[in-house]
Amino acid sequence: MKIDLNDLTTEQQVRYLRVKEMSMDDLHKIEPKWAVGENQTKCSEPKFLQDSDYSIIELNLSKLISATNFIGLNPNELITDDSNDFRYVKIIERWEKGLFIDPPSVYMKNNDDKVIISDGRHRTIAAYLTGAQIIPVAVHKSFNIDRMEHLR
């Protein structure tokens, strides 16, 4: 569904249009900040803390993008005027302020080579479009992480 700017406040419209009009050069000046490692206490989900059921691994972002079905999202475009695009605005604004965001959660089905992002498709695309090379992802410890070795 397309976004209707009239449904947004004037302030939200300004924020939305500012991010929509960012060039690739503008996006590449942004450094994604992830709530992992020494910054794990900045995460909003307790499931990502060190003693949780999740492991944090780093993957090559281009390889992850190629191996993922984004279910209607285009990883090569940040703002497409979709009703969910304001998520990108919030992500970009947080990173511009130096604030941290939880890593995406990923897994693969048993006999499938495609990665499924169960939480964080917009974060993944935003990071990709900033030019980031590596992305930390959360993987449940019951999953055989070796299956993702080709994405490192």
Side-chain angles (χ1 to χ4, degrees):
M1 184 162 64
K2 291 293 182 187
I3 195 167
D4 184 349
L5 291 179
N6 295 319
D7 291 340
L8 302 176
T9 66
T10 302
E11 177 197 355
Q12 289 172 323
Q13 289 177 24
V14 169
R15 291 168 56 204
Y16 182 84
L17 293 172
R18 183 185 74 81
V19 173
K20 180 179 180 174
E21 293 168 3
M22 284 183 156
S23 68
M24 289 307 287
D25 286 339
D26 294 332
L27 288 170
H28 283 190
K29 293 175 186 170
I30 298 169
E31 180 184 348
K33 302 280 189 182
W34 301 104
V36 297
E38 65 186 32
N39 297 306
Q40 71 177 344
T41 58
K42 295 176 173 98
C43 71
S44 63
E45 284 285 337
K47 70 180 184 181
F48 298 136
L49 295 175
Q50 193 167 26
D51 294 328
S52 76
D53 292 335
Y54 285 80
S55 295
I56 303 295
I57 62 171
E58 290 186 340
L59 298 179
N60 177 293
L61 188 47
S62 293
K63 290 180 182 180
L64 177 63
I65 293 290
S66 295
T68 300
N69 177 353
F70 283 95
I71 312 166
L73 295 180
N74 182 347
N76 296 306
E77 292 183 273
L78 191 64
I79 301 288
T80 61
D81 291 332
D82 182 78
S83 60
N84 285 321
D85 281 357
F86 208 79
R87 290 180 182 193
Y88 292 123
V89 173
K90 292 176 182 177
I91 293 164
I92 295 299
E93 288 176 340
R94 285 188 62 84
W95 285 339
E96 286 178 318
K97 293 175 184 172
L99 300 174
F100 293 84
I101 295 177
D102 294 350
S105 299
V106 303
Y107 68 97
M108 296 169 80
K109 289 187 178 177
N110 285 338
N111 294 317
D112 195 354
D113 290 335
K114 282 289 188 188
V115 174
I116 297 170
I117 300 176
S118 57
D119 184 33
R121 294 180 303 144
H122 291 84
R123 285 172 266 165
T124 302
I125 291 170
Y128 179 64
L129 293 175
T130 67
Q133 302 294 308
I134 302 294
I135 187 170
V137 296
V139 181
H140 195 274
K141 288 182 178 175
S142 66
F143 180 78
N144 180 357
I145 293 175
D146 290 343
R147 289 191 57 211
M148 292 190 181
E149 192 61 37
H150 67 288
L151 300 174
R152 290 185 183 246

